[in-house]
Each structure stands twice: as C-alpha cells, then as structure tokens.
Amino acid sequence: MDDRQLQLWVEQISLSSFGCPFLHRARFNRRLRSTGGRYFTRTHDIEISWLQYEQFGAADVEKIIKHELCHYHLHLLGGGYRHRDDDFKRLLAKVGGTRYCRSLPQELKRTEPYRYKLVCTSCSAEYMRKRKTDPKKYVCGFCKGKLKLLALDLQPHS
C-alpha cells in the first residue's frame, strides 16, 4: 500500500463511518514508533504509522484511521477533539475506533541511551536524562535541593 491508496482508504472510511468527506491529505510516516497516527490541527492532515500497518495489518490500521478522523471531524466542527473530551470519546466508540494502538515489538523501537544525569547537591539523588535539561528549572523530588547537570561519557572504552 502506498500513500495514494491510503488517501483513498481514509476518504472511503470518512464517508462510510462519519458521513462527511475527508478533504485533506493522508500519508504514511515510516518514523512513527510510539503512536499509531497523528492529526495536525493546522493543516488538518493525517499521518499513519507504516510500522503499524506492516506489523498488525489493515484491520488495526482502520481503527487508527477512525481515531484520527474523530480528531479531524470534531476539530473542524468545533467540538471537543482532544483525547480527554467527552465528544471525542463518544464519537470514537460510535465509529469503532481504537483509543490506543498496539505496541510494536521491542526490536522495532528505538531507544536512545541516557546522555545526562541530574544529581542533587543535597541528598545525591540521581535522575537519568536522554535530553539536556536546565537544572535551574527543577529541584530534587526528594529533598527540594538544587540539581547539577552532568554529561555522561558515551564513548566505548577499549
């Protein structure tokens, strides 16, 4: 399946399940790993995880498409389109969409190594981080002490 076929599929699901046309762009995104799809509120486009389609097939992806179309139609109609909104939950149940997609196998998930460590200057508690964090914006969760940022050495030792 390619993006053109996905576009036609999304348009067909929109008409049959929602009774309204899908007038924007749908495409696969091969980088999505932690989510089944995305709806963009600015462009109204939808992206679907290629890995979800590859791993779990058309039936699961159809539920993901319905989920994203709930965001799409509710947003355009001015309804509650966020996950926590009752409008969203009701429409999702009505059309048979899924609230959560299935988790990908571990070998398909990219896990970044920890690159930083925040250390409390009072109680020495440690917080591992993958991204650089400004220690001035946070305090220790145990003692409310100041934090110090340390970069971890990621070079393999020989």
Side-chain angles (χ1 to χ4, degrees):
M1 177 173 285
D2 61 14
D3 285 350
R4 186 180 50 75
Q5 292 168 314
L6 176 66
Q7 178 74 34
L8 294 172
W9 191 21
V10 171
E11 290 172 4
Q12 182 268 321
I13 292 171
S14 183
L15 284 173
S16 64
S17 296
F18 295 85
C20 297
F22 176 73
L23 302 173
H24 293 84
R25 188 169 167 222
R27 62 186 170 272
F28 280 114
N29 184 332
R30 295 179 184 270
R31 292 173 297 149
L32 292 180
R33 296 177 193 286
S34 62
T35 185
R38 296 192 294 191
Y39 165 66
F40 296 94
T41 56
R42 287 194 174 133
T43 63
H44 308 296
D45 291 346
I46 289 176
E47 287 185 346
I48 301 297
S49 169
W50 172 255
L51 291 172
Q52 287 286 326
Y53 180 75
E54 195 175 52
Q55 289 293 306
F56 305 118
D60 278 19
V61 170
E62 183 171 338
K63 293 176 184 175
I64 293 169
I65 291 170
K66 288 179 179 179
H67 176 108
E68 301 309 326
L69 284 171
C70 284
H71 290 299
Y72 172 80
H73 288 294
L74 287 168
H75 182 249
L76 291 178
L77 293 171
Y81 64 91
R82 292 185 172 101
H83 290 126
R84 65 177 178 257
D85 295 330
D86 289 333
D87 291 343
F88 179 81
K89 292 175 186 175
R90 276 193 297 274
L91 185 58
L92 190 64
K94 180 182 173 186
V95 298
T98 183
R99 186 92 191 261
Y100 305 101
C101 68
R102 290 168 60 180
S103 188
L104 292 171
Q106 192 62 37
E107 61 269 11
L108 292 177
K109 293 182 180 178
R110 283 188 309 184
T111 55
E112 298 291 325
Y114 289 115
R115 296 173 42 194
Y116 301 95
K117 179 170 40 173
L118 290 168
V119 180
C120 176
T121 57
S122 299
C123 71
S124 300
E126 296 181 351
Y127 304 92
M128 303 301 289
R129 293 290 179 259
K130 296 178 182 184
R131 295 183 182 173
K132 195 170 185 177
T133 306
D134 183 2
K136 294 178 194 131
K137 292 184 177 181
Y138 303 97
V139 295
C140 177
F142 298 106
C143 72
K144 306 289 187 246
K146 290 186 177 186
L147 298 174
K148 181 171 68 172
L149 181 68
L150 302 174
L152 300 176
D153 180 21
L154 297 177
Q155 303 302 322
H157 298 291
S158 38

